[in-house]
Amino acid sequence: MGSGTIYKRGNSWCVGFVVNGRRVRETVGPNKKIAERVLSLRMTQVLENRYFPPNRQLGRMPFKDFAQMYLEREGALLKSIRTERNRVLAWAREFGNRPLGQITRTEIEAWRREKMARCRPATINRDLSRLRRMFSLAVEWELLEESPMAGIRFLRENNARTRYLSLEECQRLIASCIAPHIRALVTVALHSGMRLGEILDLHWYDLDFASGFILVRDSKNGESRHVPMDATLFALFRAYPRRPGTDLVFSSRCGGRIVDVRTGFQNACKRAELTDLHFHDLRHTFASQFVMAGGDLYILKEILGHKSLAMTTRYSHLSPTYKIKAIDRMNTLWAGAQPQISTSEMLLDDSSVTAASQATYQDRSQPLTPATDAALSI
């Protein structure tokens, strides 16, 4: 037995009906009456057991086999091959040998609800995004009639976390790193703002000691960028031992890419008595200290590799003079031949401004001194 409906998609009328528990959809054309007649014909065929799907194998491929096909065809095109490959394999473990056509939207939504209790929304969304791409290609490759991801909404993400360390806490953390490679990785992150994956992917030929820049070839936004080396990083890389047989700056004992730094990093955090700290927070620390030292947000954007300034402006509140300096640029722009007094001077001369509010507007940030730099050195 079966039941069916007609509906309009774009400029075309479609018929949908269920046969043997399987949903079938068919595009008819712009004429509604013809669509009604086609639906009546299909329902008769279903009732008389005379309806045969155009492709009897549609949706029958085991998900594990499809996942392997997906990696073979698309693996080389993935942005972060290792991370995305792990996501694909995780979905293969989730669905196993079940046919593609048996996986439903309901169970994907149930998976999402279960993950929400222990995973961040961003993590769940990245996993769902990979699954959506897989099912879309399954439809494109004529392995599946319709993706079960249709209509599934992603979770709202909160990317406002800006946990950062003081210089004293940075010093404690570095001193608490026992393993030399963990200490080096932490130092590079604090002095460059690079992501952990970018640091672990560094090769010796990416370090240009002549110009004093680090080349990040494969960044998150898909574009390469140059990160300046300060004196601490310059000395660290010059002194860091090279492992024979590999061009990686930081490598495992067998010369491959380091896979896990979480255990060593978390142990160092415990010894330093730092709670709720992730390795990515070291990137926030670099950015925050850069801004508090009077650094320009546009330069910070280029160093961090943000595609838009909106991501960088989350640090602007750490510099009380940032907006005032922007106004001073406008003063200069419109000054012409007449000298203009700066906004800071006007605020200081205004008798209505209290001592406390003056302190708010004064530029108290100081450039990093050798002593400050030494506080972060290994």
Side-chain angles (χ1 to χ4, degrees), residues 287-300 303 312 315-316 319 321-322 325 329 363 365-367:
S288 301
Q289 294 294 343
F290 181 92
V291 171
M292 288 189 290
D296 185 270
L297 287 181
Y298 289 92
I299 296 177
L300 179 61
I303 294 176
T312 317
Y315 305 102
S316 62
S319 177
T321 60
Y322 175 70
K325 287 181 178 178
R329 292 191 192 98
D363 187 358
S365 59
Q366 299 294 329

Side-chain angles (χ1 to χ4, degrees), residues 59-84:
R60 293 190 179 184
M61 174 179 279
F63 189 92
K64 267 189 175 181
D65 295 346
F66 167 66
Q68 187 60 40
M69 175 189 295
Y70 176 84
L71 288 174
E72 290 173 357
R73 294 187 180 184
E74 297 288 306
L77 304 177
L78 297 177
K79 176 64 189 130
S80 302
I81 296 179
R82 184 178 292 100
T83 301
E84 295 302 332

Side-chain angles (χ1 to χ4, degrees), residues 163 165 168-169 172-176 265-277:
R163 168 85 160 93
L165 303 177
E168 187 274 331
E169 288 174 325
R172 285 205 334 252
L173 177 61
I174 292 175
S176 300
F265 178 72
Q266 291 301 327
N267 288 339
C269 290
K270 291 179 182 178
R271 287 189 289 269
E273 298 181 351
L274 298 173
T275 59
D276 188 31
L277 187 68

Side-chain angles (χ1 to χ4, degrees), residues 149-164:
M149 293 291 295
I152 293 183
R153 294 185 178 182
F154 284 15
L155 300 175
R156 183 173 181 177
E157 299 181 20
N158 179 14
N159 296 321
R161 174 186 170 94
T162 315
R163 168 85 160 93
Y164 66 92

